[in-house]
């Protein structure tokens, strides 16, 4: 179990700040091509695991992070200032949807020195929202990033291959196993029947289909079960 | 008259708020559990203004306040008037020359280590609680939270009210103490003002109308800690 000395032994006072790391991937399939943005609620720049979190990023709020013993599908959000034009550019001008969001909590001693940290959340940005709050002469902008945990993302993942020629040849271009699927699609097929000459093209399939319909109408289509 | 300094000079009362960002929960058996966020802990002053300004004398001030609006910081000090200078008066026993010789050895978290100390008896008080200390030419004043005696070491460690929020190196910088320190404040709620007609003024031998100025609210000054 993760040991957090800063909160162990019934500490009466916990001095802590939150650190948010946003990794935006600029290119599909190339995780090395990324931009990292950091935000924190601390009073100064802090370096955690080699990443420097500046205090001027404009972090306004960090949403609730569900903590369970079991792995659960939890969402959270962070709010950052939209007054900062850089933050607006990050949201509107980058591939922010699908970027990685990590939230860490850092613990300080009584002298305001960072002593330890604990990772709280890792997820993927699923949505963003920019809101303008104007009241009389006060005009503010807030950017909210919604993130889902990896488990939520995996639950929604579409896996496997489709039984058509294109999907099949994605992995092996010479695989012809599904080439006949278009001609068989939606075709009434009676299992156990003596095989007969089938259509190999869509036009032939259409011809066969009309023949079947004609047979049905003239009661010449025999029940073969 | 200069904007916020004029307001400070002539305010009815000064309310100081240096509280930290905390969350407090009381357990079922009434034991408090406290969580604190290590912010920059800015100074907040609330200044109540009387309806004392005559409009014809305060037009310059009004223009300055309108130009400052709610966004522009301005440096204010408590040293410029006798009726203010007592508020943050230095309480220690060092002379001006001795204070000017002191330099910063290090400042990590809220532990400010000072060197080049004066040769005075060990029990001489260098700083009393609430003494202001400002470092070099940086904006932010700090306070000493405890009494600091000279001691026998070459340095003394002052526990300040807030952590070091100066990102530039402060090693070797001199210090300013007491009411010589200055505050960089802005007024996020900048009150509006109302003219209450009354009285006359004589301009070029002609009597013209005048008014007293009534502010809509107190001036809530907030230390500008957006840079470092």
């Amino acid at each position: 179990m993760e040991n957090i000395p800063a909160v162990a032994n019934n500490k009466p006072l916990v001095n802590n700040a939150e650190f948010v790391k946003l990794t935006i991937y600029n290119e599909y399939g190339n995780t090395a091509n990324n931009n990292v943005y950091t935000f924190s609620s601390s009073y100064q720049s802090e370096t955690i695991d080699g990443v420097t979190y500046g205090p001027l990023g404009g972090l306004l709020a960090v949403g609730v992070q569900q903590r369970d013993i079991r792995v659960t599908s939890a969402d959270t959000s962070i709010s950052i200032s939209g007054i900062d034009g850089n933050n607006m550019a990050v949201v509107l001008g980058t591939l922010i949807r699908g970027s990685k969001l990590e939230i860490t909590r850092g613990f300080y001693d009584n002298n305001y020195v960072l002593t330890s940290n604990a990772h709280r959340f890792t997820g993927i940005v699923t949505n963003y929202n920019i809101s303008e709050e104007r009241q009389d002469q006060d005009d503010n902008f807030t950017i909210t990033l919604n993130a889902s945990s990896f488990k939520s993302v995996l639950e929604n993942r579409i896996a496997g291959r489709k039984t058509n020629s294109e999907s099949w040849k994605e992995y092996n271009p010479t695989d012809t196993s599904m080439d006949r699927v278009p001609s068989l699609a939606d075709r009434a097929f009676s299992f156990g029947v003596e095989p007969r000459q089938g259509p190999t093209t869509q036009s032939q399939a259409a011809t066969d289909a009309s023949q079947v319909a004609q047979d049905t109408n003239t009661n010449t289509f025999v029940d073969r079960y | 008259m200069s904007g916020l300094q004029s307001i400070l000079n002539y305010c009815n009362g000064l309310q100081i708020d240096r509280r930290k960002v905390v969350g407090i929960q009381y357990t079922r058996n009434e034991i408090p559990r406290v969580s604190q966020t290590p912010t920059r802990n800015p100074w907040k002053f609330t200044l109540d203004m009387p309806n004392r300004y005559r409009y014809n004398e305060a037009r310059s001030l009004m223009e300055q306040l309108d130009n400052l609006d709610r966004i522009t910081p301005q440096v204010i000090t408590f040293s410029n008037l006798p009726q203010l200078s007592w508020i943050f008066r230095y309480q220690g026993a060092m002379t001006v020359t001795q204070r000017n010789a002191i330099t910063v050895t290090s400042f990590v978290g809220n532990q400010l280590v000072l060197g080049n100390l004066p040769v005075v008896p060990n029990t001489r008080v260098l700083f009393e609680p609430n003494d202001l200390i400002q470092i070099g030419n940086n904006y932010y004043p700090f306070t000493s939270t405890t009494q600091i005696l000279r001691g026998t070491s070459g340095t003394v460690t002052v526990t300040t009210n807030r952590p070091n929020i100066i990102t530039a190196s402060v090693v070797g910088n001199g210090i300013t103490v007491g009411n010589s320190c200055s505050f960089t404040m802005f007024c996020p709620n900048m009150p509006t003002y109302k003219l209450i007609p009354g009285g006359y003024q004589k301009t070029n031998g002609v009597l013209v109308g005048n008014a007293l100025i009534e502010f809509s609210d107190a001036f809530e000054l907030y230390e500008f800690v957006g840079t470092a």
Side-chain angles (χ1 to χ4, degrees), chain B residues 17-222:
Chain B
D17 182 0
R18 293 195 288 157
R19 292 178 297 176
K20 297 175 170 63
V21 175
V22 298
I24 304 175
Q25 290 176 324
Y26 295 94
T27 62
R28 192 77 168 170
N29 54 357
E30 298 191 316
I31 296 173
R33 286 281 177 265
V34 182
S35 168
Q36 181 187 334
T37 302
T39 69
R40 295 194 162 190
N41 198 199
W43 290 81
K44 294 177 271 289
F45 296 150
T46 302
L47 310 175
D48 292 316
M49 280 301 292
N51 302 337
R52 69 175 300 277
Y53 282 119
R54 289 195 191 91
Y55 178 67
N56 68 313
E57 296 167 346
R59 290 182 63 176
S60 166
L61 173 63
M62 296 300 104
E63 186 61 25
Q64 288 179 32
L65 293 178
D66 283 338
N67 280 323
L68 287 175
D69 211 309
R70 291 166 290 171
I71 52 175
T72 310
Q74 194 174 46
V75 176
I76 62 171
T77 176
F78 288 79
S79 63
N80 63 331
L81 290 176
Q83 59 264 39
L84 288 178
S85 59
W86 55 272
I87 295 177
F88 287 115
R89 180 182 57 82
Y90 170 64
Q91 306 167 93
M94 289 188 287
T95 65
V96 173
T97 308
Q98 290 170 337
R99 290 176 339 224
N100 289 342
I102 291 177
T103 56
V104 175
T105 302
S106 73
F107 193 6
V108 177
N110 61 358
Q111 300 296 294
L112 173 63
V113 182
L114 300 173
N116 284 332
L117 302 174
V119 181
V120 292
N122 298 344
T123 55
R124 186 69 57 86
V125 175
L126 303 188
F127 299 101
E128 291 281 5
N130 196 236
D131 269 341
L132 283 179
I133 303 172
Q134 201 161 11
I135 297 172
N137 295 320
N138 295 289
Y139 293 129
Y140 316 115
F142 302 84
T143 56
S144 169
T145 57
T146 57
Q147 185 184 63
I148 305 297
L149 303 179
R150 170 62 184 88
T152 56
S153 172
T155 60
V156 293
T157 300
V158 180
T159 300
T160 56
N161 68 307
R162 59 178 171 181
N164 179 13
I165 58 177
I166 305 166
T167 53
S169 173
V170 294
V171 175
N173 284 5
I175 62 169
T176 304
V177 302
N179 55 27
S180 299
C181 296
S182 58
F183 298 81
T184 304
M185 314 292 283
F186 69 111
C187 186
N189 79 322
M190 186 61 86
T192 56
Y193 49 88
K194 183 165 121 182
L195 305 185
I196 302 174
Y200 292 92
Q201 62 156 322
K202 203 167 193 178
T203 304
N204 297 326
V206 179
L207 282 178
V208 295
N210 205 349
L212 282 177
I213 291 175
E214 180 183 87
F215 291 100
S216 62
D217 203 352
F219 286 76
E220 295 174 5
L221 308 190
Y222 204 96

Side-chain angles (χ1 to χ4, degrees), chain A residues 10-17 41-45 55-56 108 110-113 137-138, chain B residues 20 32-40 70 108-111 161-165 225-226:
Chain A
N10 286 327
K11 288 274 171 55
L13 169 65
V14 178
N15 197 349
N16 63 98
S41 60
S42 176
Y43 69 95
Q44 67 169 5
S45 291
L56 303 176
Y108 289 78
N110 291 335
N111 294 329
Y112 293 90
V113 176
Q137 298 301 102
D138 297 328
Chain B
K20 297 175 170 63
R33 286 281 177 265
V34 182
S35 168
Q36 181 187 334
T37 302
T39 69
R40 295 194 162 190
R70 291 166 290 171
V108 177
N110 61 358
Q111 300 296 294
N161 68 307
R162 59 178 171 181
N164 179 13
I165 58 177
V225 290

Side-chain angles (χ1 to χ4, degrees), chain A residues 112-221:
Chain A
Y112 293 90
V113 176
L114 185 67
T115 54
S116 62
N117 63 81
H119 197 76
R120 299 194 71 191
F121 180 86
T122 298
I124 290 177
V125 174
T126 55
N127 195 13
Y128 68 82
N129 175 268
I130 299 173
S131 62
E132 180 182 8
E133 298 149 26
R134 177 158 184 173
Q135 196 168 22
D136 297 331
Q137 298 301 102
D138 297 328
D139 194 9
N140 287 310
F141 294 86
T142 302
I143 300 169
T144 303
L145 300 179
N146 299 310
S148 295
S149 66
F150 275 133
K151 185 167 183 287
S152 298
V153 175
L154 290 172
E155 283 171 353
N156 296 327
R157 179 170 173 262
I158 298 173
R161 301 163 72 180
K162 294 177 181 174
T163 53
N164 61 41
S165 182
E166 291 77 18
S167 179
W168 225 249
K169 287 180 178 173
E170 188 175 323
Y171 297 96
N172 182 4
T174 61
D175 190 344
T176 59
S177 308
M178 295 292 160
D179 282 1
R180 290 173 176 270
V181 168
S183 59
L184 296 172
D186 298 330
R187 178 81 188 266
F189 188 84
S190 300
F191 285 92
V193 177
E194 184 180 341
R196 64 177 186 174
Q197 185 71 32
T200 56
T201 63
Q202 285 190 335
S203 60
Q204 190 175 352
T207 306
D208 288 354
S210 63
Q211 183 64 47
V212 168
Q214 189 177 359
D215 290 349
T216 306
N217 293 337
T218 55
N219 294 325
T220 57
F221 192 80

